[in-house]
Amino acid sequence: MQGLASSSKLSLAVVVAAFLLGSAAAHGLRRVVSSSSDEPCIEMTLYYHDILYNGVNNTRNATSAAATKPTALSTTHWKNGTYFGTLVVFNDPMTVGKALPVAGEEPAARAQGFYFYDKQESYTSWFGFSIVFNSTAHKGTINLVGADLMDDRTRDLSVVGGTGDFFMARGVATLRLDASEGTVYFRLQMDIKLYECYV
């Protein structure tokens, strides 16, 4: 019985590998895997701008909003304001430089997804989002997930996939807080290094 289970697992692995290779070939791409963590196959720096809806006077400019209210647990037991349980949905502009796009100017990409505050004792959140490119420079998405340990100067999110120019990409995005204005605005510098690319 055990031999049958391992044989089935091996067969499934072969089918999945063949599917993925066939999918890349169908797109006319070849796989490039970096041989060193110092030499990514694609590297870029973007700035992520989050303008949280404050419920009062920034409706026109807000790019994110809380989709849940803080839980009773976070507001009664944890008075340190960690926002435990709050889910925020965003469609944030991402730029090549630090400045927000001026009216009528398109950002380099948009970060679309969510983060939620997942710890009661300190500020930490968990991100799941796509960087959506639709410009002359790039088309496609880069998909990221992971914990944002906000007390750390830098933190990493995993690049777990992509589409278009970033088809099936793998790598890491290193975040660092670049600017903030209270709880309504923050800008993150995001250094993205892809170590598995299809070109």
Side-chain angles (χ1 to χ4, degrees), residues 1-175:
M1 189 63 133
Q2 190 176 6
L4 183 60
S6 357
S7 175
S8 295
K9 287 179 185 176
L10 180 60
S11 296
L12 179 60
V14 169
V15 168
V16 168
F19 173 75
L20 292 176
L21 291 173
S23 180
H27 283 82
L29 304 172
R30 67 179 177 81
R31 181 175 181 228
V32 176
V33 178
S34 177
S35 59
S36 157
S37 63
D38 295 333
E39 298 176 24
C41 46
I42 295 178
E43 189 171 2
M44 69 178 80
T45 297
L46 295 171
Y47 291 88
Y48 169 106
H49 303 267
D50 187 79
I51 305 169
L52 185 62
Y53 173 62
N54 66 8
V56 183
N57 59 3
N58 71 343
T59 304
R60 177 170 282 151
N61 296 330
T63 59
S64 65
T68 60
K69 293 182 180 180
T71 64
L73 176 64
S74 67
T75 57
T76 58
H77 187 65
W78 301 102
K79 301 202 184 302
N80 59 359
T82 59
Y83 303 109
F84 176 71
T86 301
L87 171 70
V88 177
V89 177
F90 58 85
N91 181 15
D92 291 332
M94 297 195 73
T95 58
V96 174
K98 294 183 179 190
L100 275 165
V102 294
E105 182 182 67
E106 285 297 314
R110 295 202 76 85
Q112 298 173 334
F114 64 89
Y115 58 89
F116 57 86
Y117 294 96
D118 61 350
K119 195 169 181 184
Q120 298 168 339
E121 300 82 12
S122 62
Y123 272 120
T124 69
S125 61
W126 194 90
F127 273 91
F129 68 101
S130 295
I131 300 173
V132 180
F133 294 88
N134 189 15
S135 68
T136 53
H138 298 290
K139 297 256 190 248
T141 64
I142 297 175
N143 304 313
L144 299 100
V145 297
D148 182 8
L149 308 173
M150 294 183 223
D151 289 338
D152 293 352
R153 189 176 153 277
T154 63
R155 50 266 190 207
D156 295 329
L157 297 181
S158 299
V159 174
V160 296
T163 64
D165 294 347
F166 310 101
F167 180 75
M168 292 178 60
R170 302 285 185 274
V172 66
T174 302
L175 311 178

